[in-house]
Amino acid sequence: MSSPILPIEGNLSPSITQTPADTSAEHVGAFASGLAAGSTPLDVVASRGGPPPYVLEQIAAAAGIDEELRERGHQVRFSTAEDGSRSIELQDCYGNPVRVLSIAEALELAAGKPLE
């Protein structure tokens, strides 16, 4: 029985005429400085049905609280166990648990209350 599919013929390697992407230090540096120059973590352009402005404001507020926690060497981790239970944990900057937060404590942090 013969197959109607014929084997591939010819050179299968990339074409020599293709130009590789330019990754010179100058271009990488320009790219990195372009990212850092005046950009904020939340440069979001809401177009074509993007989030409403109040949601973007809430995201910006949450980012500010996260930044404050990180400056003090902490982060908040939300997790769900295999059994479906959920927990909120305060961790140090290395991901080591400091203590478990209650929902009320997490909401107070979200509202801007400083850590005690």
Side-chain angles (χ1 to χ4, degrees):
M1 179 175 196
S2 65
S3 171
I5 300 174
L6 300 174
I8 299 173
E9 295 179 5
N11 187 356
L12 298 179
S13 65
S15 169
I16 295 175
T17 60
Q18 292 177 341
T19 308
D22 187 0
T23 57
S24 69
E26 178 182 320
H27 285 76
V28 171
F31 176 74
S33 65
L35 287 177
S39 53
T40 62
L42 296 172
D43 279 345
V44 178
V45 177
S47 64
R48 300 164 115 211
Y54 73 91
V55 172
L56 295 176
E57 290 169 7
Q58 291 173 350
I59 292 170
I65 293 166
D66 181 61
E67 186 176 329
E68 288 177 27
L69 283 170
R70 289 183 185 273
E71 286 174 359
R72 292 188 171 95
H74 292 93
Q75 60 185 353
V76 175
R77 172 82 63 196
F78 298 84
S79 60
T80 303
E82 288 183 19
D83 65 359
S85 63
R86 297 178 182 163
S87 66
I88 307 168
E89 191 172 67
L90 180 67
Q91 298 179 342
D92 66 15
C93 61
Y94 302 106
N96 300 316
V98 174
R99 66 184 172 103
V100 174
L101 299 174
S102 69
I103 294 172
E105 289 174 308
L107 289 173
E108 288 171 349
L109 279 176
K113 181 180 177 185
L115 276 174
E116 296 174 356

